[in-house]
PDB file of all heavy atoms in Angstrom:
ATOM      1  N   GLY B  28      38.467 -19.702  -4.547  1.00  0.00           N
ATOM      2  CA  GLY B  28      38.820 -21.068  -4.234  1.00  0.00           C
ATOM      3  C   GLY B  28      39.495 -20.998  -2.895  1.00  0.00           C
ATOM      4  O   GLY B  28      39.431 -20.006  -2.196  1.00  0.00           O
ATOM      5  N   GLU B  29      40.080 -22.007  -2.559  1.00  0.00           N
ATOM      6  CA  GLU B  29      40.681 -22.019  -1.230  1.00  0.00           C
ATOM      7  C   GLU B  29      42.034 -21.319  -1.236  1.00  0.00           C
ATOM      8  O   GLU B  29      42.876 -21.561  -2.096  1.00  0.00           O
ATOM      9  CB  GLU B  29      40.859 -23.457  -0.793  1.00  0.00           C
ATOM     10  CG  GLU B  29      41.295 -23.562   0.636  1.00  0.00           C
ATOM     11  CD  GLU B  29      41.440 -25.001   1.019  1.00  0.00           C
ATOM     12  OE1 GLU B  29      40.950 -25.855   0.273  1.00  0.00           O
ATOM     13  OE2 GLU B  29      42.045 -25.247   2.063  1.00  0.00           O
ATOM     14  N   ALA B  30      42.215 -20.454  -0.297  1.00  0.00           N
ATOM     15  CA  ALA B  30      43.463 -19.734  -0.229  1.00  0.00           C
ATOM     16  C   ALA B  30      44.596 -20.696   0.063  1.00  0.00           C
ATOM     17  O   ALA B  30      44.457 -21.655   0.812  1.00  0.00           O
ATOM     18  CB  ALA B  30      43.395 -18.684   0.871  1.00  0.00           C
ATOM     19  N   ARG B  32      46.005 -22.515  -2.059  1.00  0.00           N
ATOM     20  CA  ARG B  32      46.144 -23.519  -3.103  1.00  0.00           C
ATOM     21  C   ARG B  32      45.707 -22.920  -4.417  1.00  0.00           C
ATOM     22  O   ARG B  32      44.746 -22.161  -4.471  1.00  0.00           O
ATOM     23  CB  ARG B  32      45.270 -24.738  -2.791  1.00  0.00           C
ATOM     24  CG  ARG B  32      45.911 -25.692  -1.818  1.00  0.00           C
ATOM     25  CD  ARG B  32      45.100 -26.948  -1.767  1.00  0.00           C
ATOM     26  NE  ARG B  32      43.874 -26.755  -1.039  1.00  0.00           N
ATOM     27  CZ  ARG B  32      42.751 -27.381  -1.321  1.00  0.00           C
ATOM     28  NH1 ARG B  32      42.709 -28.206  -2.311  1.00  0.00           N
ATOM     29  NH2 ARG B  32      41.678 -27.179  -0.619  1.00  0.00           N
ATOM     30  N   ASN B 177      37.022 -17.481  -0.333  1.00  0.00           N
ATOM     31  CA  ASN B 177      36.743 -18.281   0.860  1.00  0.00           C
ATOM     32  C   ASN B 177      35.523 -17.763   1.607  1.00  0.00           C
ATOM     33  O   ASN B 177      34.659 -18.527   2.058  1.00  0.00           O
ATOM     34  CB  ASN B 177      37.955 -18.255   1.800  1.00  0.00           C
ATOM     35  CG  ASN B 177      39.084 -19.118   1.280  1.00  0.00           C
ATOM     36  OD1 ASN B 177      38.871 -20.029   0.503  1.00  0.00           O
ATOM     37  ND2 ASN B 177      40.301 -18.819   1.712  1.00  0.00           N
ATOM     38  N   ARG B 180      32.361 -18.594  -0.270  1.00  0.00           N
ATOM     39  CA  ARG B 180      32.009 -20.008  -0.122  1.00  0.00           C
ATOM     40  C   ARG B 180      31.408 -20.256   1.260  1.00  0.00           C
ATOM     41  O   ARG B 180      30.373 -20.929   1.400  1.00  0.00           O
ATOM     42  CB  ARG B 180      33.260 -20.862  -0.298  1.00  0.00           C
ATOM     43  CG  ARG B 180      33.027 -22.348  -0.122  1.00  0.00           C
ATOM     44  CD  ARG B 180      34.337 -23.052   0.166  1.00  0.00           C
ATOM     45  NE  ARG B 180      34.928 -22.538   1.395  1.00  0.00           N
ATOM     46  CZ  ARG B 180      36.231 -22.529   1.654  1.00  0.00           C
ATOM     47  NH1 ARG B 180      37.085 -22.983   0.759  1.00  0.00           N
ATOM     48  NH2 ARG B 180      36.695 -22.060   2.802  1.00  0.00           N
ATOM     49  N   ASP B 181      32.028 -19.694   2.303  1.00  0.00           N
ATOM     50  CA  ASP B 181      31.511 -19.910   3.657  1.00  0.00           C
ATOM     51  C   ASP B 181      30.114 -19.313   3.822  1.00  0.00           C
ATOM     52  O   ASP B 181      29.242 -19.915   4.446  1.00  0.00           O
ATOM     53  CB  ASP B 181      32.462 -19.275   4.675  1.00  0.00           C
ATOM     54  CG  ASP B 181      33.803 -19.991   4.728  1.00  0.00           C
ATOM     55  OD1 ASP B 181      33.867 -21.149   4.265  1.00  0.00           O
ATOM     56  OD2 ASP B 181      34.782 -19.397   5.211  1.00  0.00           O
ATOM     57  N   GLU B 229      45.340 -18.094   5.902  1.00  0.00           N
ATOM     58  CA  GLU B 229      44.958 -19.431   6.315  1.00  0.00           C
ATOM     59  C   GLU B 229      43.579 -19.756   5.757  1.00  0.00           C
ATOM     60  O   GLU B 229      42.678 -18.901   5.759  1.00  0.00           O
ATOM     61  CB  GLU B 229      44.915 -19.472   7.841  1.00  0.00           C
ATOM     62  CG  GLU B 229      44.917 -20.857   8.414  1.00  0.00           C
ATOM     63  CD  GLU B 229      44.953 -20.804   9.939  1.00  0.00           C
ATOM     64  OE1 GLU B 229      45.186 -19.711  10.478  1.00  0.00           O
ATOM     65  OE2 GLU B 229      44.743 -21.837  10.559  1.00  0.00           O
ATOM     66  N   SER B 230      43.441 -20.917   5.262  1.00  0.00           N
ATOM     67  CA  SER B 230      42.133 -21.305   4.741  1.00  0.00           C
ATOM     68  C   SER B 230      41.156 -21.488   5.891  1.00  0.00           C
ATOM     69  O   SER B 230      41.505 -21.960   6.965  1.00  0.00           O
ATOM     70  CB  SER B 230      42.240 -22.607   3.958  1.00  0.00           C
ATOM     71  OG  SER B 230      40.959 -23.089   3.649  1.00  0.00           O
ATOM     72  N   SER B 231      39.927 -21.117   5.610  1.00  0.00           N
ATOM     73  CA  SER B 231      38.902 -21.292   6.638  1.00  0.00           C
ATOM     74  C   SER B 231      38.259 -22.667   6.557  1.00  0.00           C
ATOM     75  O   SER B 231      37.423 -22.998   7.400  1.00  0.00           O
ATOM     76  CB  SER B 231      37.827 -20.210   6.469  1.00  0.00           C
ATOM     77  OG  SER B 231      37.203 -20.364   5.213  1.00  0.00           O
ATOM     78  N   LYS B 232      38.634 -23.419   5.557  1.00  0.00           N
ATOM     79  CA  LYS B 232      37.999 -24.727   5.388  1.00  0.00           C
ATOM     80  C   LYS B 232      38.354 -25.616   6.576  1.00  0.00           C
ATOM     81  O   LYS B 232      39.516 -25.695   6.986  1.00  0.00           O
ATOM     82  CB  LYS B 232      38.481 -25.374   4.098  1.00  0.00           C
ATOM     83  CG  LYS B 232      37.548 -26.447   3.594  1.00  0.00           C
ATOM     84  CD  LYS B 232      37.861 -26.799   2.158  1.00  0.00           C
ATOM     85  CE  LYS B 232      36.792 -27.705   1.598  1.00  0.00           C
ATOM     86  NZ  LYS B 232      37.032 -28.007   0.190  1.00  0.00           N
ATOM     87  N   GLY B 233      37.364 -26.260   7.107  1.00  0.00           N
ATOM     88  CA  GLY B 233      37.587 -27.144   8.234  1.00  0.00           C
ATOM     89  C   GLY B 233      37.502 -26.444   9.570  1.00  0.00           C
ATOM     90  O   GLY B 233      37.483 -27.102  10.614  1.00  0.00           O
ATOM     91  N   LYS B 234      37.470 -25.140   9.550  1.00  0.00           N
ATOM     92  CA  LYS B 234      37.346 -24.419  10.815  1.00  0.00           C
ATOM     93  C   LYS B 234      35.899 -24.414  11.268  1.00  0.00           C
ATOM     94  O   LYS B 234      34.973 -24.677  10.491  1.00  0.00           O
ATOM     95  CB  LYS B 234      37.854 -22.997  10.651  1.00  0.00           C
ATOM     96  CG  LYS B 234      39.359 -22.892  10.463  1.00  0.00           C
ATOM     97  CD  LYS B 234      39.784 -21.436  10.476  1.00  0.00           C
ATOM     98  CE  LYS B 234      41.298 -21.336  10.424  1.00  0.00           C
ATOM     99  NZ  LYS B 234      41.756 -19.945  10.453  1.00  0.00           N
ATOM    100  N   SER B 235      35.735 -24.054  12.512  1.00  0.00           N
ATOM    101  CA  SER B 235      34.374 -23.990  13.036  1.00  0.00           C
ATOM    102  C   SER B 235      33.662 -22.800  12.413  1.00  0.00           C
ATOM    103  O   SER B 235      34.281 -21.883  11.864  1.00  0.00           O
ATOM    104  CB  SER B 235      34.398 -23.830  14.554  1.00  0.00           C
ATOM    105  OG  SER B 235      34.830 -22.531  14.895  1.00  0.00           O
ATOM    106  N   LYS B 239      35.084 -19.256  11.034  1.00  0.00           N
ATOM    107  CA  LYS B 239      34.880 -18.789   9.657  1.00  0.00           C
ATOM    108  C   LYS B 239      34.309 -17.380   9.655  1.00  0.00           C
ATOM    109  O   LYS B 239      34.738 -16.510   8.898  1.00  0.00           O
ATOM    110  CB  LYS B 239      33.927 -19.735   8.919  1.00  0.00           C
ATOM    111  CG  LYS B 239      34.540 -21.056   8.529  1.00  0.00           C
ATOM    112  CD  LYS B 239      33.482 -21.936   7.883  1.00  0.00           C
ATOM    113  CE  LYS B 239      34.061 -23.299   7.513  1.00  0.00           C
ATOM    114  NZ  LYS B 239      33.041 -24.232   7.048  1.00  0.00           N
ATOM    115  N   GLN B 242      37.016 -15.003  10.837  1.00  0.00           N
ATOM    116  CA  GLN B 242      38.098 -14.794   9.882  1.00  0.00           C
ATOM    117  C   GLN B 242      37.636 -13.892   8.735  1.00  0.00           C
ATOM    118  O   GLN B 242      38.353 -12.977   8.320  1.00  0.00           O
ATOM    119  CB  GLN B 242      38.586 -16.134   9.325  1.00  0.00           C
ATOM    120  CG  GLN B 242      39.791 -16.000   8.415  1.00  0.00           C
ATOM    121  CD  GLN B 242      40.411 -17.347   8.085  1.00  0.00           C
ATOM    122  OE1 GLN B 242      40.339 -18.279   8.890  1.00  0.00           O
ATOM    123  NE2 GLN B 242      41.020 -17.454   6.936  1.00  0.00           N
TER     124      GLN B 242
END
Side-chain angles (χ1 to χ4, degrees):
Chain B
E29 188 179 346
R32 278 190 286 147
N177 286 337
R180 178 200 61 208
D181 293 341
E229 196 177 349
S230 170
S231 62
K232 201 165 189 177
K234 290 187 175 181
S235 72
K239 286 177 182 173
Q242 185 169 330

